[in-house]
Every structure is written in structure tokens, then in C-alpha cells.
Amino acid sequence: MDVEEAFQIVGEFGAYQKRAVAILALTQVYMACQSMLVVLVGATPDFHVEKHDDGQSSVTFFGDVDSIVTEWLLVKQQAYKVSLAGSLFFAGLLLGSFVFGPLSDTVGRRPVYLSALFCEVLLGYATAASPTFELFAASRLLAGVMNGAIGLVCFILTQEYVGKSYWASAGTVTSVTFAVGIALFAALGFAIRPWRTLAAAANTWGVLCFLLSLTLPESPRWLYCRDRIRQAEEVMRDMALANGRPASELTLRRAGGKSGQVGGVGGGSGVLQLATHPVLRFRTLVLTYIWYVCSLVYYGLTLGAGDMSGNRYLNVAMSGLVELPAYPLCVYFMNKPWAGRRKSLSTFLCLAALSCLCTIFIPEDAVSAAAASALLGKLTVSAAFNILYVYTSELYPTAVRNAGLGVCATSCRIGGILAPFVPNMRRLSNALPFAVFCLSGLSAGALVLLLPETLGAPSEELLLENRVRLHHKAAPIVILSSHLTLLQPLLYEDEQ
């Protein structure tokens, strides 16, 4: 039997998988704390700059705020450093996604995940102990590299531990816990005001996650597509035993690829196959833009929550809690045949854009209405982001899935790098950030419709050589014409 048939025997989402997904979900809480760290430790209170007769100046801060701003006087000409620290973290996410995505396709999901998590815990404590801004910024950059690796592999493992019919549900669990993590971090920040203590306390959660993660196995799907059949069978038998299923007759047939090669196509990395395989190349180009937009809008609205009027901690908590209704909605819609992954993703992206558009026309003195509209945008783009993770993983075969997600996540991090600076556009016009989000969302929502639907389609483990040849014959059609009617046969070719 193949690996998907084996999941039908051992159980697609039994006790074993529930425990594994729960551990990975707890890691998402830790990742959320690290992602949102600068929002609270970079808080800027009211201040007054007094110039003295000798040409020197002193800064007086008001309120009970202890942050990197008050410690290192990051105001006026130095204020950009707060946004820079946030952008460096997302630059690290970009590098981590680009490097560790393909690496986990080569050496395995588990070693990459555990190594990155261990390193990020160490870097988290280095952040809390940083004596200067320069060391603080460097630690955030490196922590971002590890966070990017963890996030990518963590999501892939939630998919590859379970049967395909549970991919949407398992993927949604990680998104839900990330949102909960944002709210919990806001509560922790409200309780712990000194920024160094807050950074250390938030990072300690990672120690627990690492210890629990040591019990996780390697992905059986990855083992299967690498032709490590005996190890894959051992993992599947452990699943069957924990799930109370018989596994005595569980025998996997060879996947068809050669040991040590990705996808059974011979030589070449997963990233190279994304560039040379015409169908995957087109999908990757479209997906990278959609990921960029989702990240730009999601993190732009999230990081901007700390700058909104009212209580900073409540705003950050609400930006996380508002996501929670999005996930049952997106699971409901993307599992319905009349909606599916593609239409649901496009619709939620357009709704996020329209929410941002509405915010532009709300009067500046209507603070509550503007905040509500921005939170509605956050809700809908969160739903889109969750669908995008599941949809992307289904558009790529197991053999190059992490490479594909790594490339997409790299584009996603570019949006994250720019996101901290978009809310600062309010200095030019309050409407400008939301105009950027609106136009980006609408364009991405339209591009989604160029991709195929994956709901109900069988999962692919390998890229078969004859399929590659078939698509290469069709490649000139894509090159010679961008007309949608010519693209459709190519886009759906491997689903027929």
C-alpha cells in the first residue's frame, strides 16, 4: 500500500496525531510571542525633549513604560530603530524560510525543526540580556531566522502527521493557537512591564515546547517519498498502536523514487524543480505574490494595533482574538464543494481589501469605527492566510512541498519586512496605509483565480518523470501567451 492508504488503516487523526499536533500548536504560541515582541518592548511613551544652553538635550518620559525606547532613548532621529528591529526579525524569517525549507526536504523535517527551536530559545534569552541596541537588533535578526525555519516545518509536520482529509483542520489549529499566542503575549505584557523581564518570561515557554518536541517522530510522508520504507513503517505502526488500530499487515510499497533523490526525478534540488517544472513554476510565481500580500496586510494591521488610540495591551490582544472567528469560517467554506480552497481564498482577500477601503472613508474623529473596520480587515485576512497555508501545501507534491512553501514563505517575509513601516505612512496621510492594503488585497484576490482547485483531489507524493515531460511539452504555450484561456489547460493538466 502507499502512505495514504496506510493512514486509512492506522487512523487519519487518532490519539497519536492529536498529541503531536497539540505539541506543534503550543510551539505556535511561542512563535507568536517572538513575532510580537517588538510591539510591546518597543513601546514609545509620551516624552519631552529639553534642549540645554550647552547644546545638549535630555529626554523626559511620562507614564509607567519600560522599553527599549526609554532605555536607549530611541526618539526623534533614533525612532526608526524600533521599526528597524521589527523588520530585521522579518528579514530573518525570510532567510530562515529560504534556507531551511529546502534543507528540511533534504535532511528531514524533525532535525531542522528541533535544531531551529533550540537555537531560537538561546537567542531569545540573548535578546533579553542585550546590553546595546545593536546586539538587541542582531539577536532579533538571528531569532527571526530560526523562527522562519520553525514556522515552516511546524506547519508541514501538522499536515504530514495526519490523513489528507484532516489537513484543513490540522492546519487551522496552528493558526488558531498563533492568534491565541498574540492575546496571551498582550496579557503577559500587561502583567510584566520591565521589557527585559517580559522578553525572558515569553521566551521560557520555548523551553517547554522544545522538551515536548523531542518526542515527535520524523514525518512518515517524508520518509516514504525518500524511499526510507522501513522507518516510515515503524512510525506508522507506532501511530496504529497509539490509535488502537491493527498494524500487523501494514506494509508500504516503494515510492518509485531512488534513495536520496527528491521526487524520483533524479538530481536537482526541490527549488530547481520548482523553476524547471512549468506547472509548478507558474503556480510558484502566482503564490509568491499572494503570500507577499497576505503577510503585508496581516502584519501591517497586527503591528499597527499598538499605534491605535486606546490601551496598547487591549489593542494587541484584540488583534489576536479577532482572528478566532475567522478559522471556523474558513474551515467551513474551504471544505464545501461550491466554495473550495480557491474561491474561499479569493473571497476573503477581497473582503479584507474592502474592509481597508471602508476605513479610508471613515472620519478621523470616529476612532471606534475605524478600529472596528481595521479589525474586520484583520479577521478576513487571517482567514485568507489560513486557507493559503493549506492550499499551498496541497498544490505541491510531498517531494518538493517544503521547498515550495519555503519559496512562498520567502516572499511572505518580504511583506513582513515592509509591514512595520506601512503604519508609519499615517504621518503623510491616515488613509495611505489602508489604500496600500486595499490595492494589494484586490490584486491578490484576482490572481488566486488562475490556480486550480484542490478540494477532493488526491494528494501527490512524488513528481513523476513522465509528468514532467508532459508539462515541458506544454511550456511554450505559457511562454507565448498569457491569455487565460490558454493558461487553463496547463494549470489543470495534472489534475485530469
Side-chain angles (χ1 to χ4, degrees), residues 29 208 240 251 331 343 465:
V29 175
L208 174 62
T251 304
V331 170
K343 292 179 182 177
E465 190 171 359

Coordinates of all heavy atoms in Angstrom, one line a residue, residues 29 208 240 251 331 343 465:
V29 N 2.3 29.2 19.9 CA 2.1 30.2 20.9 C 3.5 30.9 21.2 O 3.6 32.1 21.3 CB 1.6 29.6 22.2 CG1 1.6 30.7 23.3 CG2 0.2 29.0 22.0
L208 N 9.8 24.7 27.3 CA 8.8 23.6 27.4 C 8.4 23.0 26.0 O 8.4 21.8 25.9 CB 7.5 24.2 28.1 CG 6.3 23.2 28.1 CD1 6.7 22.0 29.0 CD2 5.1 23.9 28.7
A240 N -0.5 3.4 14.7 CA -1.6 2.5 14.8 C -1.7 2.0 16.3 O -2.8 1.8 16.8 CB -1.3 1.3 13.9
T251 N 2.3 -2.8 5.3 CA 3.5 -2.9 4.5 C 3.4 -1.9 3.4 O 2.4 -1.9 2.6 CB 3.7 -4.3 3.9 OG1 3.7 -5.3 5.0 CG2 5.0 -4.4 3.2
V331 N -12.6 27.1 7.6 CA -12.7 25.7 7.5 C -14.0 25.3 6.9 O -14.1 24.4 6.1 CB -12.5 25.1 8.9 CG1 -12.9 23.6 8.9 CG2 -11.1 25.3 9.4
K343 N -11.9 29.6 -4.4 CA -12.9 30.7 -4.2 C -12.9 31.3 -2.8 O -13.1 32.5 -2.7 CB -14.3 30.1 -4.6 CG -14.5 29.8 -6.1 CD -15.9 29.2 -6.3 CE -16.0 28.8 -7.8 NZ -17.4 28.2 -8.0
E465 N 8.4 11.3 -13.6 CA 9.2 11.8 -14.7 C 8.4 12.0 -15.9 O 8.6 13.0 -16.6 CB 10.4 10.8 -14.9 CG 11.4 11.3 -15.9 CD 12.6 10.4 -16.0 OE1 12.6 9.4 -15.2 OE2 13.5 10.7 -16.7

